[in-house]
Amino acid sequence: MRPIRTLPTLAAALALSWCAHAGTVQVAVAANFTEPAKALAAVLEKTTGHEAKLSFGASGAFYTQIKNGAPFDVFLSADDERPARLEQEGDAVPGTRFTYATGQLVLWSAKPGFVDDKGEVLKGGGFNKLAIANPKNAPYGAAAVEAMNKLGLQATLQPKLVTGESIGQTYGFIATGNADLGFVALSQVLDGGRLKGGSMWLVPGSLHAPIVQDAVMLKRAQGNAAAKAWVDLLRSPRTKDLIRSYGYSVK
């Protein structure tokens, strides 16, 4: 007569079976999307058992790394250009590219009351350093340069600029006081949908091209169940409210 399994034993067996089928996805994430990606990784593990290993940095740097064979399964860029190029160049799974968010640029200072709600502080020039991300590698940096040009302030502000290699490093310059203010992503300065500190100006979208952020599954991810689960989660209608809560526009 076969022994009858107790409920705890069954639960343990199911858990072992679940873990045996769980996989790992290596995700290259544009630095502006750091906090939402961490939240999504927690959801992925809780709901599927799969683990998302996240790397954060500048989109341009990730593109170069991917072209040089970096072992990423999915690329979440801060633009739509680089994922499209990877698709065209045969480095991505055809038909897997999609827009996961549209970002918003802000002028932010860690100092309360330093940045006014119209961005007039830029014209006053009463500051020493203005931080932006490298416009060659970081789409938010390119948007910042475009905004300064449209305001007619690029030449005036150029001597005050300090450049971060990613939007994450740029945020760090401002948060630590090494720059008085700077252009970062709205998602970086919000906590629970509210400004977590300092002062900011939401840069009007008319001052720069839309920051359309695309994701794409890379060729090495074919057959990777964890990569598919990550992409499915990112595309899920239930995920959109979470992404919006970090200051993104999502269709």
Side-chain angles (χ1 to χ4, degrees), residues 35-105:
E35 294 308 318
K38 288 178 180 178
L40 289 170
V43 173
L44 182 77
E45 187 164 8
K46 184 176 181 180
T47 57
T48 69
H50 295 307
E51 180 185 7
K53 292 190 175 180
L54 310 175
S55 298
F56 304 105
S59 298
F62 277 136
Y63 171 83
T64 301
Q65 291 170 24
I66 291 165
K67 294 298 293 183
N68 288 329
F72 293 118
D73 300 303
V74 182
F75 177 32
L76 273 60
S77 185
D79 65 2
D80 55 358
E81 176 191 348
R82 291 176 178 90
R85 282 164 59 186
L86 289 170
E87 192 174 45
Q88 292 162 5
E89 293 160 356
D91 298 292
V93 179
T96 62
R97 180 169 57 91
F98 65 98
T99 299
Y100 65 93
T102 300
Q104 296 190 71
L105 182 70

Side-chain angles (χ1 to χ4, degrees), residues 108 110 131 164 166-179 183-184 188:
W108 178 69
S166 71
I167 202 71
Q169 187 179 55
T170 304
Y171 174 86
F173 287 162
I174 308 162
T176 57
N178 288 308
F183 289 97
V184 294
Q188 294 174 290

Side-chain angles (χ1 to χ4, degrees), residues 125-182:
F127 53 89
N128 293 318
K129 297 295 181 183
L130 171 69
I132 66 167
N134 185 341
K136 293 181 179 179
N137 283 332
Y140 281 83
V145 170
E146 190 178 354
M148 287 187 290
N149 277 322
K150 286 200 174 181
L151 290 169
L153 297 173
Q154 177 66 23
T156 303
L157 295 173
Q158 186 65 41
K160 296 176 179 284
L161 294 183
V162 291
T163 304
E165 283 308 305
S166 71
I167 202 71
Q169 187 179 55
T170 304
Y171 174 86
F173 287 162
I174 308 162
T176 57
N178 288 308
D180 299 300
L181 71 170

Side-chain angles (χ1 to χ4, degrees), residues 19 21-27 44 48-54 71-74 220-221 223-228 230:
C19 291
H21 290 90
T24 302
V25 54
Q26 301 280 352
V27 190
L44 182 77
T48 69
H50 295 307
E51 180 185 7
K53 292 190 175 180
L54 310 175
F72 293 118
D73 300 303
V74 182
R220 76 184 297 273
N224 184 335
K228 183 180 184 303
W230 172 263

Side-chain angles (χ1 to χ4, degrees), residues 227-247:
K228 183 180 184 303
W230 172 263
V231 170
D232 287 346
L233 176 63
L234 195 59
R235 300 191 76 158
S236 169
R238 292 176 297 176
T239 299
K240 292 182 178 181
D241 284 340
L242 183 151
I243 296 174
R244 288 190 190 101
S245 73
Y246 287 92

